[in-house]
Amino acid sequence: MWDSLRSFEAGDFSSWLREGNFIVDPFSTFYTLLGIHSIGMAIVVGISFMLSSRIFGFQLGLSMKKGLELLPLAWWGFWINFGSGVLLVLAQPRREMMTFLFWAKMLTILLAFLSLRTVQRGLEAMQTPQGALEIAPWNLRLQTLLVDLFWLGAIISGRLIGYTQPPPPL
Amino acid sequence: MFFTEAQLEWFKQAWPGPITRSTSWLFPFGEILHFIGLCLLLGSLIFIDLRLMGYFKSHSVKSVLSLLPYALFGFLLNAISGWFFFTSTPQVYMGNWAFIWKMMLILLAGLNAAAFTIWEHPKVVHIGPGEDTPTSAKVFAASSLALWFVVLLLGRWLPIFTVSAN
């Protein structure tokens, strides 16, 4: 397994991801992917935060049910994040996989993904009489709080990976 | 280019530059705040700007604009954490053209937001669910989104040009 990853890293594709240029010099593929990764993160986490705010009882002028329209956009952000994230791992698979914080980040993202799906189902199932103010039940608020905490965990572990990553393996 | 050596030295000694340089955890902590601020800023602006561009019409413009405090708070977090970064090594940042462009585009995004507030806000704030926004509001909103996404990309490209500067 380790040897396969070593030979993959030495290949053209992984080398281009890690050291090559994205279309033109000097815009490196790696940092451009990091930029795309950040855009995806801003979309999915940002929209999650905005929905959370309404579910917690702020911005009462916004409809929670109609807020569901935003979730497809959040999922787009997630998949942009996922795709760019996979490419970033392929750029240096051995280095990522030997970092504890990388696995912590993967776990928090998985938990955030599952929690956001639960919040989506909770919003879809919510019944509010016509004209009445939408108030989220406590279990939905708790689930939303978990989504936010998991995203925060992903941001913190993601930022700290760069500071704790060991030197490239031989 | 924009500052003399003496001015850059002044920035370097300004608070919290010396503390950021001597405290190992402060820079990564600032980066975490910067990313949280980024999510708040872009998360709210995506919704607001897309509504102004004609999407998510089931929401009134006024209700969507109620998310603006998050954009302002996110920007404030980014400005504070950004000041921490800048005062840690001002010479390196000022020698980095990605940083110069990033600052200029943030200024442009600010002017775009100010112009929207002065000229468009009074016209669009009463637009209800299902109603369309004027073309001028769409232009302001699209410019805002484009500017902030480029600002984000430039932030991520800083290391490329930092290496060149050194």
Side-chain angles (χ1 to χ4, degrees), chain B residues 16-81:
Chain B
I19 307 167
T20 314
R21 285 191 297 277
S22 61
T23 315
S24 61
W25 56 266
L26 207 51
F27 202 95
F29 179 70
E31 285 197 324
I32 290 166
L33 288 185
H34 211 64
F35 271 62
I36 293 170
L38 171 84
C39 291
L40 290 171
L41 177 68
L42 279 177
S44 51
L45 284 184
I46 284 168
F47 194 13
I48 294 167
D49 287 337
L50 285 178
R51 173 60 186 98
L52 291 171
M53 286 164 71
Y55 300 94
F56 305 119
K57 280 188 190 167
S58 60
H59 298 272
S60 71
V61 169
K62 191 179 180 182
S63 68
V64 173
L65 286 174
S66 68
L67 294 170
L68 264 181
Y70 287 110
L72 293 173
F73 180 65
F75 180 78
L76 190 67
L77 267 184
N78 280 2
I80 293 169
S81 49

Side-chain angles (χ1 to χ4, degrees), chain A residues 32 38 53 59 69 159 163, chain B residues 31 39 58 66 70 156-157:
Chain A
T32 303
S38 303
S53 172
Q59 282 82 33
E69 294 169 8
R159 285 319 308 143
Y163 290 92
Chain B
E31 285 197 324
C39 291
S58 60
S66 68
Y70 287 110
R156 283 314 227 158
W157 278 335

